Each structure stands twice: as C-alpha cells, then as structure tokens.
Amino acid sequence: MWIADKWRDYEVLDATEGEKLERWGDYILVRPDPQVIWSTPQSHRDWSRKNGHYHRSPKGGGEWEFFRLPDEWSISYSLGDSDLTFRLKPFSFKHTGLFPEQAANWEWFSALLRQAKRPADRPLKVLNLFAYTGGATIAAASAGAAVTHVDASKGMVSWARENAVCSGLGDASVRWLVDDCVKFVEREIRRGSLYDGIIMDPPSYGRGPKGEIWKLETSIWPFLTLTAKLLSRDALFFLINSYTTGLQPAVLSYMLNQAVAKRFGGQVEAGEIGLPVSGTGLILPCGAAGRWHR
C-alpha cells in the first residue's frame, strides 16, 4: 500500500461506524466512508468539536451540517522545494475539492520528473485527464513539467487555476482545457502530440460537456489503449487511479502491462492508496492506483 503520510495540514483522526473524523487545517469535518464498516468507541475528543458533518441520506445523496465553518479556507502540502496550496470548500456529495491520499502519487511522479534527463529543446510534457481541481497538475508543474490539464467541468478547471495561483504557479506552463477527455485524446492523436507522462483519474460515471456518457467498466480499457498512443518514445510514467471497488489493483496492473509495458518496457506496479489514522494507528484504504515507469 502507498501511504500519504507527509501531510501537516491534514489528518484522519479517527474512523468508526461508516464515518471518518478529519482535520483540514484548523477545521474538523466528519464525512461518510464506505470502507469504515467497523464500530469502535468515538473516544477522540474532536468528534464533539466538529465544524462540519456530512449526513448521508438513506435515499441517496445527503447534506452538510455546519458549525462555525467558513465558506472557504486553504491548506498546504510541501512537495520538494514547493509549498502547494489548495482552496477548500464543502460541496456536493461530501467532497471538499481535494483528495489528500493522492499526495502519495504526487510524491512518486514529481520525483521522476525532477530526476529525469530533460530534452534540450523543450520541457517535459505531462497530460492530466479528468483533472478535477488540479492537485496532480500543480504537483507536476512544481516539478518543472509543462502540463495539459483537461476536465469536462468549467467550474473545476477554474478552481484548479485558482489553486495554481495560490501555490505561486500562476505563470507556470499549464494549458487549462474544458473538454471531453476522450474527444481531446482523439484530437491529440490526429495532431501527432506526444507526452512524457500521463495521469488519469477517471470517474465511475460521468457526462461530458455535450452529454457524452462515461461508464468506467466499459470505457476504461479502450480509453487506456487509446491514450497510450500519446506517450513519447522516452516517456517516463503513466498513472491511473481508481475509486471503483470493481477495478482492483491486479486489474490496473494487467491493463498497464498490456497497453503500455508491452510497447515501452519498464515496470508496472499497482496497489491500494491509504491514509494513516492518527488516533488508532490504522491505515484507511482510499482506492487504488496503477503505475508504469520506465
């Protein structure tokens, strides 16, 4: 398991009965987590000091309850010589605008970018698909890469740009694109574009800006094989994340071996990503990732 254990502004304090107790900077949130199927006493004092609680409805969805929580606030993460800053706000279906467990992947690919021998005529190029609020984009840009950030939501792309500005990367080489990821990749192939690193964080289900339907189980394999065509001859890495329980690490490993390693060689690894629970010493699983690197 890859563990995101270098946070100072974020921690999981406790977890029990389908919920996790988290510290996001100066504020305490309680959010549902389907992995937390055990029942232990709520002994941590911050269960009674929460600033926000997302209550899941038995009918689906849910709603937030707030206790002295600002509309927005920020936290930071130290990556190499950079401090990445992320704007947070509670919004639809329990989210805050950041997945802290992804810091384990930021550490991995930013180290590859920093250590790589760079082409003399251009910066290393990274493509971030389904890029959300830009955590991976900002991590790659802080390591000196030229990043193409693609997401179908205009609001998420705007949020990501604001995170870049907050992180001191407002002038970094980033293309911010609101687009359907599949159609963008198809156009990039026709244009002959190539990338040294590719990151994708596909949703279980989604719709593009023109109503395009994405269903992970049927869409991911053809999309992965398509996107692999954008890897440069000397590509460094390919990262794919999954929050869908049916897409296990072994499946991610097999797909990357077939779509990428067969052509480029290199090494494929896949495993769970987790966050430490400071109050109990447990590691909370938070999805899976598949990694290919040269």
Side-chain angles (χ1 to χ4, degrees):
M1 180 182 284
W2 295 304
I3 303 171
D5 57 1
K6 295 181 172 61
W7 281 97
R8 293 195 298 267
D9 282 1
Y10 171 85
E11 63 181 315
V12 181
L13 302 167
D14 197 7
T16 183
E17 297 183 355
E19 294 183 316
K20 55 188 174 184
L21 179 71
E22 304 167 290
R23 180 181 64 84
W24 297 79
D26 295 330
Y27 301 100
I28 305 299
L29 300 183
V30 177
R31 298 192 297 158
D33 192 307
Q35 299 289 338
V36 183
I37 61 175
W38 54 86
S39 179
T40 51
Q42 292 186 351
S43 55
H44 198 289
R45 65 178 185 176
D46 284 341
W47 285 106
S48 62
R49 300 167 59 182
K50 59 195 174 192
N51 300 104
H53 191 169
Y54 187 89
H55 299 279
R56 178 168 284 171
S57 168
K59 298 180 180 179
E63 61 181 359
W64 281 98
E65 180 182 15
F66 299 124
F67 312 91
R68 303 172 304 281
L69 184 71
D71 292 337
E72 291 187 12
W73 72 104
S74 299
I75 63 173
S76 295
Y77 184 82
S78 295
L79 184 64
D81 297 330
S82 302
D83 284 330
L84 313 184
T85 299
F86 304 99
R87 292 175 51 250
L88 305 174
K89 59 182 177 181
F91 71 113
S92 60
F93 192 61
K94 77 179 182 180
H95 295 309
T96 64
L98 184 67
F99 293 98
E101 64 273 11
Q102 286 301 317
N105 283 327
W106 304 341
E107 294 280 351
W108 173 71
F109 67 70
S110 66
L112 292 175
L113 289 167
R114 293 178 193 277
Q115 296 164 9
K117 183 178 180 181
R118 299 173 184 271
D121 58 337
R122 62 172 179 82
L124 294 168
K125 296 174 61 180
V126 171
L127 174 61
N128 187 14
L129 298 166
F130 310 99
Y132 195 51
T133 58
T137 294
I138 295 166
S142 74
V147 187
T148 298
H149 172 111
V150 187
D151 196 278
S153 168
K154 183 178 180 180
M156 292 299 104
V157 175
S158 296
W159 193 336
R161 295 186 74 155
E162 292 173 13
N163 281 336
V165 171
C166 292
S167 299
L169 294 166
D171 296 325
S173 180
V174 180
R175 286 197 298 165
W176 305 100
L177 302 177
V178 179
D179 206 342
D180 175 77
C181 289
V182 177
K183 292 186 176 180
F184 173 78
V185 168
E186 290 171 342
R187 288 197 304 273
E188 286 289 87
I189 291 171
R190 292 195 295 268
R191 287 189 283 248
S193 299
L194 296 172
Y195 294 87
D196 304 298
I198 295 176
I199 301 162
M200 62 168 67
D201 199 344
S204 298
Y205 181 86
R207 289 185 179 271
K210 295 183 179 179
E212 302 89 345
I213 295 175
W214 168 275
K215 189 175 181 181
L216 186 67
E217 291 82 355
T218 56
S219 301
I220 187 58
W221 170 246
F223 185 60
L224 177 57
T225 57
L226 186 73
T227 306
K229 296 178 182 180
L230 293 176
L231 287 169
S232 67
R233 182 183 60 184
D234 299 316
L236 292 173
F237 70 89
F238 198 117
L239 168 67
I240 178 170
N241 289 301
S242 170
Y243 291 93
T244 300
T245 55
L247 207 59
Q248 299 296 324
V251 177
L252 297 175
S253 176
Y254 185 78
M255 290 195 299
L256 284 172
N257 271 298
Q258 294 299 310
V260 182
K262 270 193 172 182
R263 177 183 171 193
F264 293 95
Q267 182 176 351
V268 171
E269 301 173 289
E272 290 183 292
I273 296 178
L275 287 163
V277 182
S278 61
T280 63
L282 296 176
I283 303 297
L284 182 65
C286 303
R291 299 172 173 178
W292 169 83
H293 63 92
R294 186 169 294 282

